[in-house]
Amino acid sequence: MKRLLTAALFALGAGAAQAEDVTLQLKWVTQAQFAGYYVAQAKGFYEEEGLNVTILPGGPDVAPTQVIAGGGADVVVDWMPSALAAREKGLALVNIAQPFKSSGMMLTCLKESGVTSPADFKGKTLGVWFGGNEYPFLNWMNKLGLKTDGTDVTVLKQGFNVDPLLQKQAACISTMTYNEYWQVIDAGVKPEDLITFKYEDEGVATLEDGLYVMEDKLADPAFAEKMVKFVRASMKGWKYAEANSDEAAMIVLENDETGAQTETHQKRMMGEIAKLTAGSNGALDEADYKRTVAALMSGGSDPVITKEPEGAWTHAITDAALN
């Protein structure tokens, strides 16, 4: 009743204007990684801004950059390496908000493989996600002076599962602090039998899970204002999710149409996600941006991007949303 009353009062104050449609494409399936958006929807934060938001789940066959390029979404969630690589190739994406302050990416290794430090990667098989997620890894290997053509390390194109580690096809695999690492644990591997290397700790972390739109659309004042409203409501959802992680996890579960997620996993995931969004008010920190750009340009003979992008981020949307 309270939510309905709030919505009614807002509509009255706005002259009963028709809600503006926004389509958001997620980077992956419905899970707590995207809790802030589901919370903003469930709590009426979008509605209060006069927005009708459609949230599209992602998956292994969904590339956010392709979706937005084809007009299938107004805004997408993507990692900055993927977005900037697409921008350099001609898809003019702009970061309008950065809810994630820290990276959750890491390599998880079996101790029995003999890996005790990054110096031990040489001669090993390492599982790597592709589809834009490989860029931070390739930069890391370049910094370590390791070739990824099989000369120094063998790269196993990893599916979005942990099978290569469980089946001992790889010494290490790509995992996220909030997801795949726990899948390994749930499969029966003990934490003491694993060693992890967080990209954040190794100094090779790049920004993840930002909000991106097409640059040309921002030239339309109406669209830009709609994105201000969207960012404001989304960040309200993220901060609520941080403070109420169990409730946020349950909201995510309510939106999981596949029924694949479990309460235990989503509550655990939300607890880890809250660590990554902590410290962000939605504004893209210039130092974080430049650190990511520098990492992507330092790929030796095969950098992710060859020059520092111009116009790839904007304070305009978040400044307006936060003020």
Side-chain angles (χ1 to χ4, degrees):
M1 179 62 73
K2 182 178 179 181
R3 177 179 168 184
L4 292 174
L5 180 59
T6 300
L9 290 173
F10 178 83
L12 181 63
Q18 184 174 357
E20 298 178 277
D21 292 331
V22 175
T23 299
L24 169 67
Q25 175 64 62
L26 303 182
K27 185 173 176 63
W28 193 239
V29 299
T30 300
Q31 59 182 20
Q33 178 183 358
F34 312 107
Y37 311 112
Y38 288 112
V39 168
Q41 189 176 61
K43 290 294 180 181
F45 300 155
Y46 289 135
E47 190 176 9
E48 290 167 7
E49 292 285 354
L51 301 178
N52 175 39
V53 176
T54 299
I55 302 175
L56 302 178
D61 299 320
V62 177
T65 52
Q66 293 179 8
V67 173
I68 198 168
D74 298 299
V75 56
V76 298
V77 177
D78 206 352
W79 288 6
M80 185 168 283
S82 173
L84 292 187
R87 184 179 176 88
E88 184 158 300
K89 293 174 183 175
L91 186 65
L93 293 174
V94 175
N95 179 298
I96 59 168
Q98 187 60 46
F100 277 46
K101 176 70 174 176
S102 304
S103 168
M105 196 171 188
M106 60 185 182
L107 281 183
T108 295
C109 312
L110 288 171
K111 285 184 178 178
E112 67 180 56
S113 69
V115 174
T116 59
S117 75
D120 298 320
F121 291 157
K122 189 170 184 177
K124 299 296 193 297
T125 296
L126 309 178
V128 181
W129 292 318
F130 280 73
N133 299 339
E134 73 273 24
Y135 300 132
F137 169 83
L138 295 175
N139 171 62
W140 187 10
M141 293 303 105
N142 180 70
K143 288 188 67 174
L144 292 172
L146 297 175
K147 295 180 180 179
T148 56
D149 59 1
T151 304
D152 295 323
V153 300
T154 299
V155 173
L156 173 67
K157 190 173 183 179
Q158 182 183 334
F160 292 97
N161 57 59
V162 298
D163 292 347
L165 194 73
L166 300 179
Q167 297 170 6
K168 300 184 180 180
Q169 298 170 335
C172 311
I173 60 170
S174 299
T175 61
M176 302 303 290
T177 57
Y178 50 82
N179 197 1
E180 290 78 14
Y181 172 80
W182 296 104
Q183 292 177 17
V184 175
I185 299 301
D186 289 342
V189 181
K190 297 178 181 179
E192 56 265 32
D193 293 329
L194 299 170
I195 183 168
T196 60
F197 302 95
K198 294 182 179 180
Y199 282 53
E200 197 78 44
D201 295 340
E202 299 297 328
V204 292
T206 51
L207 287 168
E208 300 164 358
D209 287 61
L211 291 172
Y212 294 86
V213 301
M214 295 297 295
E215 185 174 14
D216 59 352
K217 295 192 73 173
L218 289 175
D220 177 3
F223 179 82
E225 177 58 28
K226 184 164 66 172
M227 288 301 99
V228 168
K229 297 174 182 177
F230 176 75
V231 168
R232 183 162 52 221
S234 296
M235 288 312 301
K236 189 174 180 180
W238 273 118
K239 294 304 128 178
Y240 186 97
E242 275 183 33
N244 304 273
S245 61
D246 282 356
E247 182 185 353
M250 296 307 295
I251 289 173
V252 170
L253 281 173
E254 290 169 4
N255 284 276
D256 173 31
E257 296 182 356
T258 69
Q261 306 293 0
T262 66
E263 180 177 339
T264 298
H265 186 51
Q266 289 309 300
K267 285 184 175 180
R268 186 167 56 190
M269 183 184 293
M270 187 59 233
E272 293 296 326
I273 289 292
K275 299 175 185 177
L276 305 182
T277 58
S280 173
N281 62 0
L284 174 58
D285 182 84
E286 185 172 4
D288 292 342
Y289 171 76
K290 289 188 173 182
R291 171 173 53 90
T292 297
V293 168
L296 299 180
M297 291 177 64
S298 62
S301 61
D302 190 25
V304 177
I305 57 176
T306 59
K307 60 183 183 298
E308 185 168 348
E310 296 180 5
W313 65 303
T314 175
H315 279 309
I317 300 297
T318 45
D319 282 352
L322 295 171
N323 295 326

